[in-house]
Amino acid sequence: MQTLNVALGDRAYPIHIGRSLLGRADLILPHLRTRRVAIVTNDTVGPLYLEALSTALAQAGVGVSAVSLPDGEAYKDWETLNRIFDMLLAERCERSTTLIALGGGVVGDMGGFAAACYQRGMPFIQVPTTLLAQVDSSVGGKTAINHPLGKNMIGAFYQPRLVLADIDTLATLPDRELSAGLAEVIKYGLIRDPEFLAWLEQNLERLVARDADALAYAIERSCRNKAEVVAADETEQGERALLNLGHTFGHAIETGLGYGEWLHGEAVAAGTMMAAELSRRLGWLGEAEVARVGALFERARLPVWGPLLGAERYLELMAHDKKVEAGRLRLVLLRELGRAVIHGDAQQTDIAAAIEARCR
Amino acid sequence: MQTLNVALGDRAYPIHIGRSLLGRADLILPHLRTRRVAIVTNDTVGPLYLEALSTALAQAGVGVSAVSLPDGEAYKDWETLNRIFDMLLAERCERSTTLIALGGGVVGDMGGFAAACYQRGMPFIQVPTTLLAQVDSSVGGKTAINHPLGKNMIGAFYQPRLVLADIDTLATLPDRELSAGLAEVIKYGLIRDPEFLAWLEQNLERLVARDADALAYAIERSCRNKAEVVAADETEQGERALLNLGHTFGHAIETGLGYGEWLHGEAVAAGTMMAAELSRRLGWLGEAEVARVGALFERARLPVWGPLLGAERYLELMAHDKKVEAGRLRLVLLRELGRAVIHGDAQQTDIAAAIEARCR
Ligand SMILES: NC(=O)c1ccc[n+]([C@@H]2O[C@H](COP(=O)([O-])OP(=O)(O)OC[C@H]3O[C@@H](n4cnc5c(N)ncnc54)[C@H](O)[C@@H]3O)[C@@H](O)[C@H]2O)c1
Ligand SMILES: NC(=O)c1ccc[n+]([C@@H]2O[C@H](COP(=O)([O-])OP(=O)(O)OC[C@H]3O[C@@H](n4cnc5c(N)ncnc54)[C@H](O)[C@@H]3O)[C@@H](O)[C@H]2O)c1
Ligand SMILES: [Zn+2]
Ligand SMILES: [Zn+2]
């Protein structure tokens, strides 16, 4: 097991990464305020992993309540969130009860938001079970649900007290979900960690084959990158925006196709190629470097071309992105491989050309 | 105009109290992040005061959107909250847009919670228009909506950037609502400000007659007390609980009768009499002092007797109160007039006797 620390002053918290962690109630106990937890999971993850976690806690003398949500991004809404509140109230959970989210990013985002709101805030622990959740969504304190008019529009910054990433849970993860998580892993290399990027170029097949040591290394390194960024900029005023490499383009793909067609990580991969292509047009990357990025995504079985929605439609969708400040589109681009920057001055025509060049 | 400061470090904010403040866009402008606001009000307050506020802002070059919610505690729910999000999204409000709540505590609590959640937090300003909101709910950063299984169960601690209390708006407030607000005013005297308590005993009729100078003084003094408590204990771990004098008993009255029968302040007045009676039984207050408290409430046209629900029903309702920690009922009692304490050791039989003694 490896342990990282997210340095957020009096809200600092550890991330434990390793094998067979679900049964390790000893890792959880020090972070409970009272011996009482409420576990939020979903109908896919619950049958696989709820018992291991809740039995371990119960044996350690912890009172356990649980609720299982329907599986899917479509349920990341108020109605489903309310099922968490129903359970918390029906089971008389107090504000000192700890909420544990056991699942992927959807369960983590909803569980975290429920914990942020229940009686104005109860302690919260993340037990992420997808690669994406282990390297990205469980770290950093962003929580949210969707609104019919926008994804992740309603939420809170709310930090967990502990993140427990059990690599063994990834064994049951569908291939496509594993690949989607790798898109975010590769992202960390691209935006701020050239050494990690080189490691990924050496070891990508080991990750696809789910080699435990390789996964442990990549997860730890990814979390370290995310934790550093978050510690420097908790509420996304500055550096944290770099984590959105490929995301503004990617969100256009997700929205343009209708949510659920492409996985988030798939859209991020294709979107990152657009960002790389635009960076090339600004003279920051060479053609060979863009190709290197593409090769990495392809080895991770991720798409490197966006769907043909037309550049105009992309631009229209991107104009509605949350990252628009005072009407100005701020894009994350690559100054070089391993160093991202925020760029607010790209010409619409250049952006359109980069999109066109990366669609087919 | 008087100005108070709520000392919360980098989230400190001013409270302006005075007459004709709705038209003072100059007081609001320094607190906006961009020249764009979204005003949340309701169907009673909107027709009275929305135009004054929005015209002043528009003339100062601020883009103004607005939504009016149906009036009433019954609408302090998710569905109505969602109408705020619908407006914010339909009007393309960004996370830099400032949300202004114009109304009583219901509008303030809902507007504040919406601001806390919209894109994980947008700037927020309170323009309270009831006495209760001006002396209590607009200060301190508690926001919430109700859940069918519990009042104020879903919410956030979220501080405004400014509170603008325009005393002139109180001119249209129904008498009963004015009295309800006075219950909280008297509370501050009872829990921590004996000098203010003496002033209230001298001046209560001026408040009931809505004398502007008296109101300005009482509001300023109340806010000062609340601001001091909040600054010392933002998230209600300790001293802030003293603000709940009479509230645990009062909530039992509100729930027992069904919400809406008694106003919150009315229940707090009768509940405070129960707390005073229990304090007397503990030897902390004399009979004459309990009578002094009762006289003050009566002069404010507030009830000093609880409804006859039976002590057992009271205790049952109180056991579900949010202030129960680890199953233990912690009551706010009066060690003397002007000094409240938290007491966790009161005997059930004593509590029951105090309730019985103050019901009829
Ligand atoms: N909070 C953040 O900072 C942040 C960052 C990125 C993404 N997100 C959010 O995360 C969500 C996506 O997360 P995700 O990719 O984990 O999706 P997800 O939670 O929908 O999980 C993907 C699928 O895998 C299943 N699953 C989860 N763990 C499994 C396991 N161990 N074995 C088998 N199946 C398993 C899930 O039930 C689901 O069907 C989105 O809602 C996105 O908005 C949040
Ligand atoms: N956040 C906190 O710290 C806190 C503290 C105390 C109470 N509260 C909440 O506040 C709410 C009660 O607030 P309230 O007493 O202001 O009730 P309210 O908001 O319902 O207002 C009372 C009535 O007066 C009307 N009104 C408001 N201003 C008016 C004006 N100037 N002229 C004429 N009519 C006017 C309202 O439309 C309403 O009908 C409750 O929901 C309670 O939970 C919150
Ligand atoms: Zn992402
Ligand atoms: Zn109150």
Side-chain angles (χ1 to χ4, degrees):
Chain A
M1 186 182 83
Q2 296 161 82
T3 300
L4 275 176
N5 196 45
V6 185
L8 285 168
D10 58 347
R11 287 165 304 118
Y13 57 90
I15 307 173
H16 298 311
I17 301 158
R19 307 190 62 167
S20 304
L21 299 187
L22 281 187
R24 296 284 302 277
D26 60 307
L27 296 175
I28 294 178
L29 288 179
H31 300 278
L32 303 183
R33 200 182 303 163
T34 59
R35 296 206 157 225
R36 184 92 167 74
V37 304
I39 303 176
V40 176
T41 186
N42 77 14
D43 295 343
T44 302
V45 178
L48 293 167
Y49 303 112
L50 178 58
E51 204 185 310
L53 179 63
S54 57
T55 305
L57 286 166
Q59 280 172 355
V62 176
V64 179
S65 306
V67 63
S68 182
L69 309 177
D71 184 4
E73 180 79 28
Y75 296 99
K76 196 174 158 181
D77 61 4
W78 174 262
E79 219 179 300
T80 312
L81 185 75
N82 224 7
R83 292 188 43 181
I84 304 177
F85 297 134
D86 290 343
M87 178 272 282
L88 293 171
L89 283 161
E91 303 268 310
R92 299 267 161 84
C93 292
E94 299 178 354
R95 68 176 115 181
S96 56
T97 300
T98 299
L99 189 149
I100 301 181
L102 171 70
V106 170
V107 165
D109 278 14
M110 297 186 74
F113 187 44
C117 297
Y118 186 67
Q119 299 198 17
R120 301 193 187 91
M122 69 197 294
F124 172 50
I125 288 176
Q126 290 266 23
V127 183
T129 64
T130 64
L131 180 58
L132 182 129
Q134 293 186 352
V135 300
D136 186 358
S137 63
S138 70
V139 177
K142 277 199 197 179
T143 73
I145 58 170
N146 301 327
H147 181 281
L149 295 177
K151 210 170 123 49
N152 290 331
M153 277 293 159
I154 316 298
F157 285 99
Y158 196 68
Q159 300 293 345
R161 304 185 146 217
L162 168 69
V163 179
L164 206 64
D166 186 339
I167 291 166
D168 288 342
T169 62
L170 300 182
T172 51
L173 195 66
D175 287 340
R176 222 181 131 189
E177 299 289 350
L178 187 84
S179 292
L182 289 174
E184 307 282 2
V185 171
I186 293 167
K187 177 188 77 179
Y188 294 115
L190 289 172
I191 63 171
R192 69 193 303 275
D193 194 347
E195 197 184 281
F196 184 37
L197 191 65
W199 183 91
L200 286 168
E201 289 191 303
Q202 296 292 322
N203 292 279
L204 206 87
E205 278 66 29
R206 290 174 65 202
L207 294 174
V208 173
R210 309 189 193 210
D211 173 294
D213 290 338
L215 282 172
Y217 179 79
I219 293 168
E220 194 269 341
R221 187 100 182 198
S222 297
C223 285
R224 186 184 299 276
N225 275 294
K226 177 137 190 194
E228 282 172 14
V229 172
V230 167
D233 176 21
E234 188 178 358
T235 55
E236 200 165 31
Q237 312 297 313
E239 187 190 352
R240 187 159 178 169
L242 298 182
L243 296 173
N244 292 316
L245 175 68
H247 280 60
T248 305
F249 295 103
H251 287 156
I253 296 174
E254 291 180 87
T255 321
L257 293 178
Y259 275 100
E261 273 304 303
W262 282 34
L263 293 180
H264 172 71
E266 294 168 343
V268 166
T272 299
M273 292 314 296
M274 294 172 185
E277 172 63 18
L278 182 52
S279 308
R280 189 189 67 76
R281 283 164 190 264
L282 292 168
W284 295 345
L285 296 187
E287 238 171 85
E289 287 171 308
V290 177
R292 258 176 76 191
V293 178
L296 210 43
F297 285 134
E298 286 191 313
R299 288 163 66 193
R301 303 182 192 160
L302 286 162
V304 292
W305 302 96
L308 288 161
L309 307 171
E312 225 161 285
R313 178 85 179 115
Y314 271 92
L315 290 171
E316 192 185 300
L317 290 162
M318 288 161 70
H320 299 173
D321 197 90
K322 239 191 299 191
K323 276 92 215 169
V324 176
E325 180 102 7
R328 200 144 147 277
L329 191 59
R330 302 170 77 239
L331 288 172
V332 183
L333 299 178
L334 292 170
R335 201 68 192 72
E336 59 188 307
L337 290 192
R339 183 157 72 88
V341 293
I342 309 275
H343 191 62
D345 301 322
Q347 300 297 314
Q348 292 285 99
T349 49
D350 285 340
I351 303 174
I355 292 168
E356 294 285 8
R358 293 304 314 183
C359 288
R360 78 175 187 202
Chain B
M1 186 181 85
Q2 296 162 81
T3 301
L4 275 176
N5 195 47
V6 185
L8 285 168
D10 57 348
R11 285 165 305 118
Y13 57 92
I15 307 173
H16 297 311
I17 301 160
R19 307 190 63 168
S20 304
L21 299 188
L22 281 188
R24 297 284 303 278
D26 60 307
L27 297 175
I28 294 177
L29 288 180
H31 300 279
L32 303 183
R33 199 182 301 162
T34 59
R35 296 205 158 225
R36 184 92 169 76
V37 304
I39 303 176
V40 176
T41 186
N42 77 14
D43 294 344
T44 302
V45 178
L48 293 167
Y49 302 113
L50 178 58
E51 205 186 309
L53 179 62
S54 57
T55 304
L57 286 166
Q59 279 171 355
V62 176
V64 179
S65 307
V67 63
S68 182
L69 308 178
D71 184 4
E73 179 79 28
Y75 296 99
K76 196 174 159 181
D77 61 3
W78 173 260
E79 221 179 300
T80 312
L81 185 75
N82 225 5
R83 292 189 43 180
I84 305 178
F85 296 134
D86 289 344
M87 179 272 281
L88 293 171
L89 284 160
E91 302 269 311
R92 300 266 162 84
C93 293
E94 299 177 354
R95 68 175 115 180
S96 56
T97 300
T98 299
L99 189 148
I100 301 181
L102 170 70
V106 171
V107 165
D109 278 14
M110 297 186 75
F113 188 43
C117 296
Y118 185 66
Q119 299 200 16
R120 302 194 186 91
M122 68 196 297
F124 172 49
I125 288 175
Q126 291 266 23
V127 183
T129 64
T130 64
L131 181 58
L132 181 128
Q134 293 185 352
V135 301
D136 187 357
S137 63
S138 71
V139 177
K142 277 199 196 179
T143 72
I145 57 171
N146 301 327
H147 182 281
L149 296 177
K151 211 170 123 49
N152 291 330
M153 276 294 158
I154 316 297
F157 285 100
Y158 196 68
Q159 302 292 345
R161 301 183 151 219
L162 167 69
V163 179
L164 206 64
D166 186 340
I167 291 167
D168 288 343
T169 61
L170 300 181
T172 50
L173 195 66
D175 286 341
R176 223 182 132 188
E177 299 289 349
L178 187 84
S179 292
L182 288 173
E184 307 282 1
V185 171
I186 294 167
K187 178 187 77 178
Y188 295 115
L190 290 173
I191 62 172
R192 69 194 303 276
D193 194 348
E195 196 184 281
F196 183 38
L197 193 65
W199 183 90
L200 286 168
E201 290 190 303
Q202 295 294 322
N203 292 279
L204 206 88
E205 279 66 28
R206 290 175 65 202
L207 293 175
V208 172
R210 306 188 197 211
D211 173 296
D213 290 339
L215 281 173
Y217 179 79
I219 293 168
E220 194 269 342
R221 188 99 181 198
S222 297
C223 284
R224 186 184 299 278
N225 275 294
K226 177 135 188 194
E228 282 173 13
V229 172
V230 168
D233 176 21
E234 187 178 358
T235 55
E236 199 164 33
Q237 311 297 315
E239 188 191 351
R240 187 159 179 168
L242 299 182
L243 297 172
N244 292 315
L245 175 66
H247 280 60
T248 304
F249 295 104
H251 287 155
I253 296 175
E254 290 180 88
T255 322
L257 294 178
Y259 275 100
E261 273 306 303
W262 282 34
L263 293 180
H264 172 71
E266 294 168 343
V268 166
T272 299
M273 293 313 297
M274 294 171 185
E277 172 63 18
L278 182 52
S279 307
R280 189 189 67 76
R281 284 164 190 264
L282 292 168
W284 295 345
L285 296 187
E287 237 171 87
E289 288 171 306
V290 176
R292 258 176 78 192
V293 178
L296 209 43
F297 285 133
E298 285 190 316
R299 288 162 66 194
R301 303 181 192 159
L302 286 162
V304 293
W305 302 96
L308 287 161
L309 307 172
E312 224 162 286
R313 178 84 180 115
Y314 271 93
L315 290 171
E316 191 185 300
L317 290 162
M318 289 162 70
H320 298 173
D321 196 89
K322 239 191 300 192
K323 276 91 215 169
V324 176
E325 180 102 6
R328 201 145 147 273
L329 191 60
R330 301 169 77 240
L331 287 172
V332 184
L333 299 178
L334 292 169
R335 200 69 191 71
E336 59 188 306
L337 291 194
R339 185 157 71 90
V341 293
I342 309 275
H343 191 63
D345 303 321
Q347 300 297 314
Q348 292 286 96
T349 50
D350 285 339
I351 303 174
I355 292 168
E356 295 284 8
R358 293 303 317 180
C359 288
R360 77 172 186 208

PDB file of all heavy atoms in Angstrom, chain B residues 228-245:
ATOM      1  N   GLU B 228     -20.926  38.115  16.125  1.00  0.00           N
ATOM      2  CA  GLU B 228     -19.865  37.708  17.054  1.00  0.00           C
ATOM      3  C   GLU B 228     -19.892  36.199  17.290  1.00  0.00           C
ATOM      4  O   GLU B 228     -18.852  35.535  17.297  1.00  0.00           O
ATOM      5  CB  GLU B 228     -20.021  38.441  18.394  1.00  0.00           C
ATOM      6  CG  GLU B 228     -19.511  39.888  18.351  1.00  0.00           C
ATOM      7  CD  GLU B 228     -19.826  40.675  19.617  1.00  0.00           C
ATOM      8  OE1 GLU B 228     -20.228  40.045  20.635  1.00  0.00           O
ATOM      9  OE2 GLU B 228     -19.679  41.899  19.576  1.00  0.00           O
ATOM     10  N   VAL B 229     -21.081  35.681  17.475  1.00  0.00           N
ATOM     11  CA  VAL B 229     -21.202  34.241  17.713  1.00  0.00           C
ATOM     12  C   VAL B 229     -20.738  33.455  16.490  1.00  0.00           C
ATOM     13  O   VAL B 229     -19.976  32.490  16.588  1.00  0.00           O
ATOM     14  CB  VAL B 229     -22.663  33.881  18.057  1.00  0.00           C
ATOM     15  CG1 VAL B 229     -22.837  32.373  18.114  1.00  0.00           C
ATOM     16  CG2 VAL B 229     -23.075  34.527  19.371  1.00  0.00           C
ATOM     17  N   VAL B 230     -21.171  33.907  15.311  1.00  0.00           N
ATOM     18  CA  VAL B 230     -20.824  33.204  14.081  1.00  0.00           C
ATOM     19  C   VAL B 230     -19.324  33.261  13.829  1.00  0.00           C
ATOM     20  O   VAL B 230     -18.702  32.267  13.437  1.00  0.00           O
ATOM     21  CB  VAL B 230     -21.598  33.810  12.892  1.00  0.00           C
ATOM     22  CG1 VAL B 230     -21.049  33.302  11.571  1.00  0.00           C
ATOM     23  CG2 VAL B 230     -23.086  33.485  13.020  1.00  0.00           C
ATOM     24  N   ALA B 231     -18.732  34.428  14.065  1.00  0.00           N
ATOM     25  CA  ALA B 231     -17.293  34.560  13.822  1.00  0.00           C
ATOM     26  C   ALA B 231     -16.512  33.618  14.729  1.00  0.00           C
ATOM     27  O   ALA B 231     -15.472  33.080  14.354  1.00  0.00           O
ATOM     28  CB  ALA B 231     -16.849  36.002  14.035  1.00  0.00           C
ATOM     29  N   ALA B 232     -17.039  33.391  15.933  1.00  0.00           N
ATOM     30  CA  ALA B 232     -16.336  32.524  16.885  1.00  0.00           C
ATOM     31  C   ALA B 232     -16.559  31.052  16.562  1.00  0.00           C
ATOM     32  O   ALA B 232     -15.771  30.198  16.955  1.00  0.00           O
ATOM     33  CB  ALA B 232     -16.818  32.821  18.302  1.00  0.00           C
ATOM     34  N   ASP B 233     -17.608  30.749  15.799  1.00  0.00           N
ATOM     35  CA  ASP B 233     -17.994  29.344  15.640  1.00  0.00           C
ATOM     36  C   ASP B 233     -18.828  29.205  14.376  1.00  0.00           C
ATOM     37  O   ASP B 233     -20.037  29.020  14.424  1.00  0.00           O
ATOM     38  CB  ASP B 233     -18.799  28.905  16.871  1.00  0.00           C
ATOM     39  CG  ASP B 233     -19.332  27.477  16.755  1.00  0.00           C
ATOM     40  OD1 ASP B 233     -18.788  26.698  15.952  1.00  0.00           O
ATOM     41  OD2 ASP B 233     -20.299  27.172  17.471  1.00  0.00           O
ATOM     42  N   GLU B 234     -18.147  29.259  13.231  1.00  0.00           N
ATOM     43  CA  GLU B 234     -18.885  29.333  11.968  1.00  0.00           C
ATOM     44  C   GLU B 234     -19.790  28.132  11.719  1.00  0.00           C
ATOM     45  O   GLU B 234     -20.904  28.270  11.249  1.00  0.00           O
ATOM     46  CB  GLU B 234     -17.904  29.503  10.803  1.00  0.00           C
ATOM     47  CG  GLU B 234     -18.611  29.766   9.483  1.00  0.00           C
ATOM     48  CD  GLU B 234     -17.644  29.973   8.323  1.00  0.00           C
ATOM     49  OE1 GLU B 234     -16.417  29.942   8.565  1.00  0.00           O
ATOM     50  OE2 GLU B 234     -18.117  30.162   7.203  1.00  0.00           O
ATOM     51  N   THR B 235     -19.286  26.934  12.012  1.00  0.00           N
ATOM     52  CA  THR B 235     -20.049  25.754  11.598  1.00  0.00           C
ATOM     53  C   THR B 235     -20.733  25.042  12.758  1.00  0.00           C
ATOM     54  O   THR B 235     -21.004  23.843  12.704  1.00  0.00           O
ATOM     55  CB  THR B 235     -19.141  24.748  10.861  1.00  0.00           C
ATOM     56  OG1 THR B 235     -18.031  24.453  11.719  1.00  0.00           O
ATOM     57  CG2 THR B 235     -18.631  25.331   9.561  1.00  0.00           C
ATOM     58  N   GLU B 236     -21.041  25.822  13.787  1.00  0.00           N
ATOM     59  CA  GLU B 236     -21.876  25.327  14.872  1.00  0.00           C
ATOM     60  C   GLU B 236     -21.317  24.112  15.593  1.00  0.00           C
ATOM     61  O   GLU B 236     -21.959  23.081  15.703  1.00  0.00           O
ATOM     62  CB  GLU B 236     -23.275  24.984  14.326  1.00  0.00           C
ATOM     63  CG  GLU B 236     -24.321  24.896  15.408  1.00  0.00           C
ATOM     64  CD  GLU B 236     -25.731  24.947  14.828  1.00  0.00           C
ATOM     65  OE1 GLU B 236     -25.951  24.462  13.729  1.00  0.00           O
ATOM     66  OE2 GLU B 236     -26.595  25.487  15.520  1.00  0.00           O
ATOM     67  N   GLN B 237     -20.075  24.251  16.047  1.00  0.00           N
ATOM     68  CA  GLN B 237     -19.498  23.188  16.854  1.00  0.00           C
ATOM     69  C   GLN B 237     -19.721  23.492  18.338  1.00  0.00           C
ATOM     70  O   GLN B 237     -19.802  22.587  19.146  1.00  0.00           O
ATOM     71  CB  GLN B 237     -17.989  23.053  16.598  1.00  0.00           C
ATOM     72  CG  GLN B 237     -17.592  23.004  15.139  1.00  0.00           C
ATOM     73  CD  GLN B 237     -18.153  21.789  14.424  1.00  0.00           C
ATOM     74  OE1 GLN B 237     -18.094  20.686  14.931  1.00  0.00           O
ATOM     75  NE2 GLN B 237     -18.732  21.992  13.252  1.00  0.00           N
ATOM     76  N   GLY B 238     -19.811  24.777  18.677  1.00  0.00           N
ATOM     77  CA  GLY B 238     -19.891  25.113  20.091  1.00  0.00           C
ATOM     78  C   GLY B 238     -20.841  26.253  20.396  1.00  0.00           C
ATOM     79  O   GLY B 238     -22.043  26.087  20.403  1.00  0.00           O
ATOM     80  N   GLU B 239     -20.257  27.469  20.586  1.00  0.00           N
ATOM     81  CA  GLU B 239     -21.035  28.611  21.059  1.00  0.00           C
ATOM     82  C   GLU B 239     -22.262  28.888  20.210  1.00  0.00           C
ATOM     83  O   GLU B 239     -23.294  29.333  20.714  1.00  0.00           O
ATOM     84  CB  GLU B 239     -20.145  29.869  21.099  1.00  0.00           C
ATOM     85  CG  GLU B 239     -20.844  31.056  21.782  1.00  0.00           C
ATOM     86  CD  GLU B 239     -20.112  32.387  21.617  1.00  0.00           C
ATOM     87  OE1 GLU B 239     -18.969  32.389  21.127  1.00  0.00           O
ATOM     88  OE2 GLU B 239     -20.701  33.414  21.973  1.00  0.00           O
ATOM     89  N   ARG B 240     -22.147  28.647  18.906  1.00  0.00           N
ATOM     90  CA  ARG B 240     -23.259  28.962  18.022  1.00  0.00           C
ATOM     91  C   ARG B 240     -24.546  28.268  18.442  1.00  0.00           C
ATOM     92  O   ARG B 240     -25.641  28.747  18.177  1.00  0.00           O
ATOM     93  CB  ARG B 240     -22.893  28.591  16.580  1.00  0.00           C
ATOM     94  CG  ARG B 240     -23.927  29.052  15.576  1.00  0.00           C
ATOM     95  CD  ARG B 240     -23.356  29.154  14.167  1.00  0.00           C
ATOM     96  NE  ARG B 240     -24.385  29.573  13.235  1.00  0.00           N
ATOM     97  CZ  ARG B 240     -24.152  29.961  11.991  1.00  0.00           C
ATOM     98  NH1 ARG B 240     -22.918  29.963  11.528  1.00  0.00           N
ATOM     99  NH2 ARG B 240     -25.139  30.335  11.204  1.00  0.00           N
ATOM    100  N   ALA B 241     -24.395  27.132  19.096  1.00  0.00           N
ATOM    101  CA  ALA B 241     -25.575  26.394  19.547  1.00  0.00           C
ATOM    102  C   ALA B 241     -26.414  27.225  20.509  1.00  0.00           C
ATOM    103  O   ALA B 241     -27.621  27.013  20.637  1.00  0.00           O
ATOM    104  CB  ALA B 241     -25.150  25.086  20.207  1.00  0.00           C
ATOM    105  N   LEU B 242     -25.802  28.203  21.191  1.00  0.00           N
ATOM    106  CA  LEU B 242     -26.563  29.043  22.131  1.00  0.00           C
ATOM    107  C   LEU B 242     -27.679  29.814  21.428  1.00  0.00           C
ATOM    108  O   LEU B 242     -28.672  30.201  22.050  1.00  0.00           O
ATOM    109  CB  LEU B 242     -25.627  30.023  22.850  1.00  0.00           C
ATOM    110  CG  LEU B 242     -24.525  29.383  23.698  1.00  0.00           C
ATOM    111  CD1 LEU B 242     -23.701  30.455  24.384  1.00  0.00           C
ATOM    112  CD2 LEU B 242     -25.128  28.424  24.728  1.00  0.00           C
ATOM    113  N   LEU B 243     -27.498  30.046  20.138  1.00  0.00           N
ATOM    114  CA  LEU B 243     -28.531  30.750  19.372  1.00  0.00           C
ATOM    115  C   LEU B 243     -29.824  29.943  19.326  1.00  0.00           C
ATOM    116  O   LEU B 243     -30.858  30.442  18.911  1.00  0.00           O
ATOM    117  CB  LEU B 243     -28.042  31.025  17.947  1.00  0.00           C
ATOM    118  CG  LEU B 243     -26.830  31.951  17.813  1.00  0.00           C
ATOM    119  CD1 LEU B 243     -26.338  31.983  16.374  1.00  0.00           C
ATOM    120  CD2 LEU B 243     -27.205  33.363  18.270  1.00  0.00           C
ATOM    121  N   ASN B 244     -29.735  28.687  19.721  1.00  0.00           N
ATOM    122  CA  ASN B 244     -30.928  27.844  19.669  1.00  0.00           C
ATOM    123  C   ASN B 244     -31.746  27.874  20.951  1.00  0.00           C
ATOM    124  O   ASN B 244     -32.599  27.010  21.163  1.00  0.00           O
ATOM    125  CB  ASN B 244     -30.524  26.402  19.335  1.00  0.00           C
ATOM    126  CG  ASN B 244     -30.009  26.299  17.921  1.00  0.00           C
ATOM    127  OD1 ASN B 244     -30.605  26.854  17.009  1.00  0.00           O
ATOM    128  ND2 ASN B 244     -28.899  25.606  17.740  1.00  0.00           N
ATOM    129  N   LEU B 245     -31.549  28.879  21.797  1.00  0.00           N
ATOM    130  CA  LEU B 245     -32.395  29.004  22.988  1.00  0.00           C
ATOM    131  C   LEU B 245     -33.873  28.936  22.578  1.00  0.00           C
ATOM    132  O   LEU B 245     -34.309  29.659  21.668  1.00  0.00           O
ATOM    133  CB  LEU B 245     -32.137  30.347  23.687  1.00  0.00           C
ATOM    134  CG  LEU B 245     -33.068  30.643  24.882  1.00  0.00           C
ATOM    135  CD1 LEU B 245     -32.816  29.672  26.023  1.00  0.00           C
ATOM    136  CD2 LEU B 245     -32.906  32.089  25.358  1.00  0.00           C
TER     137      LEU B 245
END
